[in-house]
Short mmCIF file of all heavy atoms in Angstrom, two decimals:
data_model
loop_
_atom_site.label_atom_id
_atom_site.label_comp_id
_atom_site.label_asym_id
_atom_site.label_seq_id
_atom_site.Cartn_x
_atom_site.Cartn_y
_atom_site.Cartn_z
N GLY A 1 5.16 4.94 5.73
CA GLY A 1 5.97 5.85 4.94
C GLY A 1 5.28 6.20 3.63
O GLY A 1 4.47 5.41 3.12
N PRO A 2 5.56 7.37 3.05
CA PRO A 2 4.91 7.79 1.80
C PRO A 2 5.48 7.06 0.59
O PRO A 2 6.61 6.58 0.63
CB PRO A 2 5.22 9.28 1.74
CG PRO A 2 6.56 9.39 2.43
CD PRO A 2 6.49 8.39 3.56
N PRO A 3 4.72 7.01 -0.49
CA PRO A 3 5.20 6.35 -1.71
C PRO A 3 6.12 7.26 -2.51
O PRO A 3 6.06 8.49 -2.37
CB PRO A 3 3.91 6.08 -2.48
CG PRO A 3 3.04 7.25 -2.11
CD PRO A 3 3.34 7.52 -0.66
N PRO A 4 6.96 6.70 -3.37
CA PRO A 4 7.75 7.53 -4.28
C PRO A 4 6.87 8.08 -5.39
O PRO A 4 5.75 7.59 -5.60
CB PRO A 4 8.80 6.55 -4.82
CG PRO A 4 8.13 5.22 -4.75
CD PRO A 4 7.24 5.27 -3.53
N LYS A 5 7.38 9.06 -6.09
CA LYS A 5 6.60 9.68 -7.16
C LYS A 5 6.41 8.73 -8.33
O LYS A 5 5.33 8.66 -8.93
CB LYS A 5 7.30 10.95 -7.63
CG LYS A 5 6.51 11.76 -8.64
CD LYS A 5 7.21 13.07 -8.95
CE LYS A 5 6.42 13.92 -9.92
NZ LYS A 5 7.12 15.21 -10.21
N ASP A 6 7.46 7.98 -8.68
CA ASP A 6 7.42 7.08 -9.83
C ASP A 6 7.52 5.64 -9.34
O ASP A 6 8.50 5.26 -8.69
CB ASP A 6 8.57 7.41 -10.78
CG ASP A 6 8.53 6.59 -12.07
OD1 ASP A 6 7.60 5.78 -12.23
OD2 ASP A 6 9.43 6.78 -12.91
N LEU A 7 6.52 4.83 -9.64
CA LEU A 7 6.47 3.44 -9.19
C LEU A 7 6.86 2.44 -10.28
O LEU A 7 6.94 1.24 -10.02
CB LEU A 7 5.06 3.11 -8.71
CG LEU A 7 4.47 4.02 -7.63
CD1 LEU A 7 2.99 3.72 -7.45
CD2 LEU A 7 5.21 3.84 -6.31
N SER A 8 7.13 2.93 -11.46
CA SER A 8 7.26 2.04 -12.63
C SER A 8 8.44 1.09 -12.56
O SER A 8 8.39 0.01 -13.14
CB SER A 8 7.36 2.88 -13.91
OG SER A 8 8.51 3.71 -13.88
N ALA A 9 9.51 1.47 -11.83
CA ALA A 9 10.71 0.63 -11.82
C ALA A 9 10.70 -0.44 -10.75
O ALA A 9 11.63 -1.26 -10.67
CB ALA A 9 11.95 1.52 -11.66
N ILE A 10 9.67 -0.48 -9.93
CA ILE A 10 9.61 -1.46 -8.85
C ILE A 10 9.44 -2.87 -9.41
O ILE A 10 8.61 -3.11 -10.28
CB ILE A 10 8.46 -1.13 -7.89
CG1 ILE A 10 8.75 0.19 -7.16
CG2 ILE A 10 8.23 -2.25 -6.87
CD1 ILE A 10 7.62 0.67 -6.27
N THR A 11 10.23 -3.80 -8.89
CA THR A 11 10.11 -5.20 -9.30
C THR A 11 9.72 -6.11 -8.13
O THR A 11 9.16 -7.18 -8.35
CB THR A 11 11.43 -5.71 -9.90
OG1 THR A 11 12.49 -5.55 -8.95
CG2 THR A 11 11.77 -4.93 -11.17
N ALA A 12 10.01 -5.71 -6.90
CA ALA A 12 9.71 -6.53 -5.72
C ALA A 12 8.29 -6.28 -5.24
O ALA A 12 7.74 -5.21 -5.42
CB ALA A 12 10.69 -6.21 -4.60
N PRO A 13 7.69 -7.27 -4.60
CA PRO A 13 6.39 -7.01 -3.94
C PRO A 13 6.58 -6.03 -2.80
O PRO A 13 7.60 -6.07 -2.09
CB PRO A 13 5.98 -8.40 -3.44
CG PRO A 13 7.25 -9.18 -3.34
CD PRO A 13 8.13 -8.66 -4.43
N VAL A 14 5.61 -5.14 -2.62
CA VAL A 14 5.67 -4.13 -1.58
C VAL A 14 4.53 -4.37 -0.60
O VAL A 14 3.37 -4.50 -1.01
CB VAL A 14 5.57 -2.71 -2.17
CG1 VAL A 14 5.60 -1.67 -1.05
CG2 VAL A 14 6.71 -2.45 -3.16
N TYR A 15 4.87 -4.42 0.68
CA TYR A 15 3.87 -4.64 1.73
C TYR A 15 3.85 -3.41 2.63
O TYR A 15 4.89 -2.97 3.14
CB TYR A 15 4.22 -5.88 2.54
CG TYR A 15 4.30 -7.13 1.70
CD1 TYR A 15 5.52 -7.55 1.17
CD2 TYR A 15 3.16 -7.88 1.42
CE1 TYR A 15 5.60 -8.69 0.37
CE2 TYR A 15 3.23 -9.02 0.63
CZ TYR A 15 4.45 -9.42 0.11
OH TYR A 15 4.54 -10.55 -0.68
N GLY A 16 2.66 -2.83 2.80
CA GLY A 16 2.54 -1.61 3.58
C GLY A 16 1.83 -1.81 4.90
O GLY A 16 0.85 -2.57 4.97
N PHE A 17 2.29 -1.14 5.92
CA PHE A 17 1.71 -1.20 7.26
C PHE A 17 1.44 0.24 7.69
O PHE A 17 2.37 1.02 7.89
CB PHE A 17 2.68 -1.87 8.23
CG PHE A 17 3.11 -3.26 7.81
CD1 PHE A 17 4.12 -3.42 6.86
CD2 PHE A 17 2.52 -4.38 8.35
CE1 PHE A 17 4.53 -4.70 6.47
CE2 PHE A 17 2.92 -5.66 7.97
CZ PHE A 17 3.93 -5.81 7.03
N TYR A 18 0.17 0.58 7.87
CA TYR A 18 -0.21 1.96 8.09
C TYR A 18 -1.12 2.11 9.31
O TYR A 18 -1.75 1.15 9.75
CB TYR A 18 -0.93 2.51 6.85
CG TYR A 18 -0.11 2.40 5.59
CD1 TYR A 18 -0.27 1.30 4.73
CD2 TYR A 18 0.84 3.36 5.26
CE1 TYR A 18 0.48 1.18 3.57
CE2 TYR A 18 1.59 3.25 4.09
CZ TYR A 18 1.42 2.16 3.25
OH TYR A 18 2.17 2.04 2.10
N ALA A 19 -1.18 3.35 9.82
CA ALA A 19 -1.97 3.65 11.00
C ALA A 19 -3.27 4.33 10.62
O ALA A 19 -3.29 5.22 9.76
CB ALA A 19 -1.18 4.54 11.95
N GLY A 20 -4.36 3.94 11.27
CA GLY A 20 -5.65 4.54 10.98
C GLY A 20 -5.73 6.00 11.35
O GLY A 20 -6.40 6.79 10.68
N ASN A 21 -5.02 6.41 12.41
CA ASN A 21 -5.03 7.80 12.86
C ASN A 21 -3.77 8.52 12.36
O ASN A 21 -3.03 9.14 13.13
CB ASN A 21 -5.11 7.88 14.38
CG ASN A 21 -6.44 7.39 14.91
OD1 ASN A 21 -7.38 7.17 14.15
ND2 ASN A 21 -6.53 7.20 16.21
N ASP A 22 -3.54 8.40 11.07
CA ASP A 22 -2.34 8.99 10.46
C ASP A 22 -2.67 9.35 9.01
O ASP A 22 -2.05 8.86 8.06
CB ASP A 22 -1.19 7.97 10.51
CG ASP A 22 0.13 8.54 10.00
OD1 ASP A 22 0.29 9.77 9.98
OD2 ASP A 22 1.00 7.72 9.62
N ALA A 23 -3.67 10.24 8.87
CA ALA A 23 -4.17 10.55 7.53
C ALA A 23 -3.11 11.13 6.61
O ALA A 23 -3.16 10.94 5.38
CB ALA A 23 -5.34 11.53 7.62
N ARG A 24 -2.12 11.82 7.16
CA ARG A 24 -1.04 12.38 6.35
C ARG A 24 -0.39 11.31 5.46
O ARG A 24 -0.05 11.56 4.30
CB ARG A 24 0.01 13.02 7.26
CG ARG A 24 1.23 13.58 6.55
CD ARG A 24 2.19 14.18 7.57
NE ARG A 24 2.68 13.18 8.50
CZ ARG A 24 3.77 12.45 8.30
NH1 ARG A 24 4.48 12.60 7.21
NH2 ARG A 24 4.16 11.56 9.20
N ILE A 25 -0.24 10.11 6.03
CA ILE A 25 0.38 9.02 5.27
C ILE A 25 -0.67 8.06 4.72
O ILE A 25 -0.64 7.69 3.54
CB ILE A 25 1.36 8.24 6.17
CG1 ILE A 25 2.52 9.15 6.61
CG2 ILE A 25 1.90 7.02 5.43
CD1 ILE A 25 3.37 9.69 5.49
N SER A 26 -1.62 7.67 5.56
CA SER A 26 -2.59 6.64 5.14
C SER A 26 -3.50 7.11 4.02
O SER A 26 -4.04 6.30 3.26
CB SER A 26 -3.42 6.19 6.35
OG SER A 26 -2.59 5.61 7.33
N ALA A 27 -3.67 8.42 3.87
CA ALA A 27 -4.48 8.94 2.78
C ALA A 27 -3.85 8.68 1.41
O ALA A 27 -4.54 8.77 0.39
CB ALA A 27 -4.71 10.44 2.97
N THR A 28 -2.56 8.34 1.42
CA THR A 28 -1.90 8.04 0.14
C THR A 28 -2.18 6.62 -0.34
O THR A 28 -1.90 6.30 -1.50
CB THR A 28 -0.37 8.22 0.26
OG1 THR A 28 0.17 7.20 1.15
CG2 THR A 28 -0.01 9.59 0.80
N VAL A 29 -2.71 5.78 0.53
CA VAL A 29 -2.85 4.36 0.20
C VAL A 29 -3.80 4.09 -0.97
O VAL A 29 -3.46 3.31 -1.86
CB VAL A 29 -3.27 3.56 1.46
CG1 VAL A 29 -3.62 2.11 1.09
CG2 VAL A 29 -2.15 3.58 2.49
N PRO A 30 -4.99 4.69 -1.04
CA PRO A 30 -5.88 4.39 -2.16
C PRO A 30 -5.26 4.71 -3.53
O PRO A 30 -5.33 3.89 -4.46
CB PRO A 30 -7.10 5.27 -1.89
CG PRO A 30 -7.12 5.42 -0.41
CD PRO A 30 -5.68 5.54 -0.03
N ASP A 31 -4.65 5.88 -3.66
CA ASP A 31 -4.04 6.24 -4.94
C ASP A 31 -2.84 5.35 -5.24
O ASP A 31 -2.60 4.98 -6.40
CB ASP A 31 -3.59 7.71 -4.93
CG ASP A 31 -4.76 8.68 -5.04
OD1 ASP A 31 -5.88 8.22 -5.37
OD2 ASP A 31 -4.56 9.88 -4.78
N THR A 32 -2.07 5.01 -4.21
CA THR A 32 -0.92 4.12 -4.42
C THR A 32 -1.39 2.73 -4.85
O THR A 32 -0.79 2.11 -5.73
CB THR A 32 -0.09 4.02 -3.13
OG1 THR A 32 0.33 5.32 -2.73
CG2 THR A 32 1.14 3.15 -3.36
N THR A 33 -2.46 2.27 -4.23
CA THR A 33 -3.03 0.97 -4.61
C THR A 33 -3.42 0.96 -6.08
O THR A 33 -3.10 0.01 -6.83
CB THR A 33 -4.25 0.64 -3.74
OG1 THR A 33 -3.86 0.59 -2.36
CG2 THR A 33 -4.85 -0.70 -4.12
N ALA A 34 -4.09 2.01 -6.50
CA ALA A 34 -4.53 2.10 -7.90
C ALA A 34 -3.35 2.19 -8.85
O ALA A 34 -3.32 1.55 -9.90
CB ALA A 34 -5.44 3.31 -8.07
N ALA A 35 -2.35 3.00 -8.46
CA ALA A 35 -1.19 3.18 -9.33
C ALA A 35 -0.37 1.90 -9.44
O ALA A 35 0.11 1.55 -10.53
CB ALA A 35 -0.32 4.32 -8.80
N MET A 36 -0.19 1.20 -8.34
CA MET A 36 0.57 -0.05 -8.37
C MET A 36 -0.18 -1.10 -9.19
O MET A 36 0.43 -1.87 -9.96
CB MET A 36 0.82 -0.55 -6.95
CG MET A 36 1.83 0.27 -6.17
SD MET A 36 3.54 0.02 -6.68
CE MET A 36 3.92 -1.52 -5.79
N LYS A 37 -1.49 -1.15 -9.05
CA LYS A 37 -2.29 -2.10 -9.83
C LYS A 37 -2.19 -1.79 -11.32
O LYS A 37 -2.00 -2.70 -12.15
CB LYS A 37 -3.74 -2.07 -9.38
CG LYS A 37 -4.63 -3.08 -10.09
CD LYS A 37 -6.06 -3.04 -9.55
CE LYS A 37 -6.93 -4.06 -10.25
NZ LYS A 37 -8.34 -4.04 -9.72
N ALA A 38 -2.27 -0.52 -11.66
CA ALA A 38 -2.18 -0.12 -13.07
C ALA A 38 -0.82 -0.45 -13.66
O ALA A 38 -0.71 -0.75 -14.86
CB ALA A 38 -2.46 1.38 -13.20
N ALA A 39 0.21 -0.40 -12.82
CA ALA A 39 1.56 -0.69 -13.28
C ALA A 39 1.89 -2.17 -13.24
O ALA A 39 2.99 -2.58 -13.63
CB ALA A 39 2.57 0.09 -12.42
N GLY A 40 0.94 -2.97 -12.75
CA GLY A 40 1.17 -4.41 -12.67
C GLY A 40 2.11 -4.82 -11.55
O GLY A 40 2.78 -5.85 -11.64
N LYS A 41 2.14 -4.03 -10.47
CA LYS A 41 3.03 -4.31 -9.35
C LYS A 41 2.22 -4.86 -8.17
O LYS A 41 1.06 -4.53 -8.00
CB LYS A 41 3.75 -3.03 -8.90
CG LYS A 41 4.32 -2.18 -10.01
CD LYS A 41 5.43 -2.88 -10.77
CE LYS A 41 6.02 -1.96 -11.83
NZ LYS A 41 7.10 -2.63 -12.60
N LYS A 42 2.87 -5.69 -7.35
CA LYS A 42 2.21 -6.23 -6.17
C LYS A 42 2.34 -5.24 -5.02
O LYS A 42 3.45 -4.84 -4.65
CB LYS A 42 2.81 -7.57 -5.76
CG LYS A 42 2.14 -8.17 -4.51
CD LYS A 42 2.67 -9.54 -4.18
CE LYS A 42 2.06 -10.10 -2.89
NZ LYS A 42 0.60 -10.21 -2.94
N TYR A 43 1.21 -4.87 -4.45
CA TYR A 43 1.17 -3.94 -3.32
C TYR A 43 0.08 -4.41 -2.37
O TYR A 43 -1.08 -4.53 -2.74
CB TYR A 43 0.87 -2.53 -3.83
CG TYR A 43 0.75 -1.48 -2.75
CD1 TYR A 43 1.78 -1.24 -1.85
CD2 TYR A 43 -0.41 -0.68 -2.67
CE1 TYR A 43 1.67 -0.24 -0.88
CE2 TYR A 43 -0.52 0.32 -1.71
CZ TYR A 43 0.52 0.53 -0.82
OH TYR A 43 0.41 1.52 0.13
N ASP A 44 0.48 -4.72 -1.15
CA ASP A 44 -0.44 -5.27 -0.16
C ASP A 44 -0.42 -4.39 1.09
O ASP A 44 0.40 -4.58 1.99
CB ASP A 44 -0.02 -6.70 0.19
CG ASP A 44 -0.92 -7.34 1.23
OD1 ASP A 44 -2.03 -6.81 1.48
OD2 ASP A 44 -0.51 -8.37 1.82
N PRO A 45 -1.32 -3.38 1.17
CA PRO A 45 -1.34 -2.50 2.32
C PRO A 45 -2.35 -2.93 3.39
O PRO A 45 -3.39 -3.50 3.07
CB PRO A 45 -1.75 -1.16 1.72
CG PRO A 45 -2.68 -1.55 0.60
CD PRO A 45 -2.19 -2.90 0.08
N VAL A 46 -2.02 -2.66 4.63
CA VAL A 46 -2.94 -2.89 5.75
C VAL A 46 -2.96 -1.62 6.58
O VAL A 46 -1.91 -1.04 6.88
CB VAL A 46 -2.50 -4.08 6.63
CG1 VAL A 46 -3.44 -4.24 7.81
CG2 VAL A 46 -2.44 -5.36 5.82
#
């Protein structure tokens, strides 16, 4: 599933499960990883 626009209010760890042949969604993972890290949030995508 795609990420929300604003990640700042998240308090729970988020675990992502994505498909390699699903660029529409999986292409969002790198930017989401960076944004969650910058916000100090736990994000563990596979």
Side-chain angles (χ1 to χ4, degrees):
K5 186 175 182 180
D6 186 0
L7 305 169
S8 62
I10 293 175
T11 57
V14 178
Y15 301 93
F17 304 81
Y18 303 95
N21 293 350
D22 185 22
R24 177 180 62 90
I25 297 298
S26 298
T28 67
V29 172
D31 286 347
T32 303
T33 300
M36 288 286 279
K37 183 177 181 179
K41 315 295 183 181
K42 180 176 177 59
Y43 178 57
D44 179 16
V46 177

